[in-house]
Amino acid sequence: MDQTSPEAPAAAGVLARIRHGAAELSEAMSKVADQVLADPEAAARATIMDLAELSGTSPGTITRFCRHLGYDGYAALRVAIATETGRASARRETGWDVNIGQEIAPSDPLEQVLKQLITIDAAMLRDTVDTLDLTAVERVAASVCDARRVDVYGVGTSAIVARELQMGFYRTGVAAWVWTEVHDALASAALLGDGDVAFAVSLSGSTAEVIEMLSEADSRGALTVALTGDADSALAEIADICLVSATTRTGHRADLLASRHSALLVADLVHIAVAQRRFPAALEALESRARAVVGHRPARQRNGAS
């Protein structure tokens, strides 16, 4: 990482940069990062010897960690952390952190907010691309193509992803339904059987209603698929096939939005993989849908105008 002045990394959000760059750290520096993130306010008060003891490392490791982040030394890092935690404390008093996020301040210009959002989005999308099991995606696509019917489940934020996934299947001629209410979903799952596919979406993997829906489908013999951000979650344990999208655990709105975008990326990939396998049947379905609604489009669209 290029050396920069202490002010530049602080302005970018030192804690966010530590979180997003954790994969690049050595084992020893990762211990320092974990300690700082676990209690930033304590890190801002600690001496270099204190932080070394708390993290089970050495002062030399602390110094290397600071330089990796672009700071001349520990004093500069402490100032950056103290500045950021001070702003965070002020925002917590207004409830800002709960609803928006730590890396975005109420006074930030929209240009900076936009850059922060795209930074979080891009990092999470890249993590998804790097870790997604494409063999599992192929298995899901093949099963959906062969299925008698497909149920897609999701509630709350995950319902948005579930609806997009079902619509992708539906547009290509797959008999797919989406269920976002637990009673309706359970009633549908009870009618599934061997040769059907049940696809559950939960970013956390711990949503009780979605777990219940997929469990019912599993008990009826359907192939079960989970799209989640936690490969070790209760939902993932139920599923025959698990697709994992990148997510975070902060609960802040910017991170939740990026997590949803990562899940939508996986959903898009699955439905395109299905369309590829069903071509030209998928093309025929798309053309039939287009012909059916052409009379409800503006004249300029019917005439092919852009």
Side-chain angles (χ1 to χ4, degrees):
M1 182 176 294
D2 294 337
Q3 292 289 330
T4 58
S5 66
E7 290 77 16
V14 60
L15 299 179
R17 295 173 68 241
I18 292 173
R19 280 195 296 272
H20 296 153
E24 303 173 2
L25 300 176
S26 66
E27 182 178 354
M29 286 196 291
S30 292
K31 294 180 180 179
V32 180
D34 290 343
Q35 182 60 43
V36 170
L37 293 175
D39 194 346
E41 294 180 359
R45 296 190 302 268
T47 67
I48 190 170
M49 294 299 297
D50 292 336
L51 185 58
E53 182 177 354
L54 287 170
S55 60
T57 60
S58 67
T61 300
I62 307 296
T63 300
R64 288 193 297 274
F65 177 73
C66 295
R67 291 175 178 168
H68 179 82
L69 292 173
Y71 296 98
D72 293 335
Y74 183 56
L77 177 63
R78 286 181 65 188
V79 170
I81 295 173
T83 300
E84 186 165 336
T85 55
R87 290 198 306 265
S89 178
R91 294 198 301 271
R92 281 195 297 271
E93 293 179 2
T94 66
W96 177 271
D97 277 359
V98 175
N99 295 298
I100 306 298
Q102 291 181 344
E103 292 81 23
I104 301 172
S107 59
D108 286 345
L110 285 181
E111 181 180 5
Q112 182 175 332
V113 172
L114 178 60
K115 290 179 179 178
Q116 184 62 43
L117 289 175
I118 196 62
T119 297
I120 296 171
D121 258 18
M124 213 168 292
L125 290 171
R126 173 53 57 187
D127 287 346
T128 299
V129 170
D130 290 343
T131 59
L132 183 62
D133 185 348
L134 296 182
T135 300
V137 173
E138 291 282 6
R139 287 179 59 202
V140 172
S143 299
V144 168
C145 287
D146 294 337
R148 178 181 65 96
R149 62 174 287 167
V150 178
D151 268 8
V152 185
Y153 312 129
V155 300
T157 299
S158 297
I160 297 172
V161 181
R163 289 190 181 98
E164 285 293 322
L165 181 62
Q166 181 268 341
M167 184 55 67
F169 291 156
Y170 182 69
R171 281 195 296 263
T172 55
V174 173
W177 287 261
V178 62
W179 307 101
T180 60
E181 193 277 329
V182 65
H183 296 91
D184 291 339
L186 290 173
S188 180
L191 299 177
L192 298 180
D194 184 42
D196 297 325
V197 174
F199 206 123
V201 182
S202 172
L203 303 184
S204 68
S206 60
T207 305
E209 294 89 344
V210 177
I211 291 172
E212 186 178 2
M213 296 170 188
L214 197 65
S215 295
E216 178 65 26
D218 181 63
S219 72
R220 302 294 175 169
L223 178 79
T224 53
V225 182
L227 170 51
T228 179
D230 188 352
D232 298 320
S233 64
L235 185 69
E237 290 181 5
I238 297 170
D240 296 311
I241 306 174
C242 184
L243 304 179
V244 182
S245 61
T247 188
T248 62
R249 301 290 188 268
T250 66
H252 298 136
R253 183 164 182 78
D255 289 337
L256 289 174
L257 188 64
S259 298
R260 189 191 308 162
H261 292 166
S262 295
L264 284 168
L265 174 65
V266 177
D268 280 346
L269 182 63
V270 171
H271 115 252
I272 290 172
V274 169
Q276 287 178 318
R277 285 176 171 269
R278 287 179 51 80
F279 189 85
L283 180 60
E284 181 180 349
L286 290 169
E287 291 176 344
S288 295
R289 282 170 50 84
R291 287 193 297 269
V293 301
V294 69
H296 292 273
R297 292 177 178 171
R300 61 194 303 269
Q301 291 186 16
R302 295 200 299 269
N303 296 331
S306 59

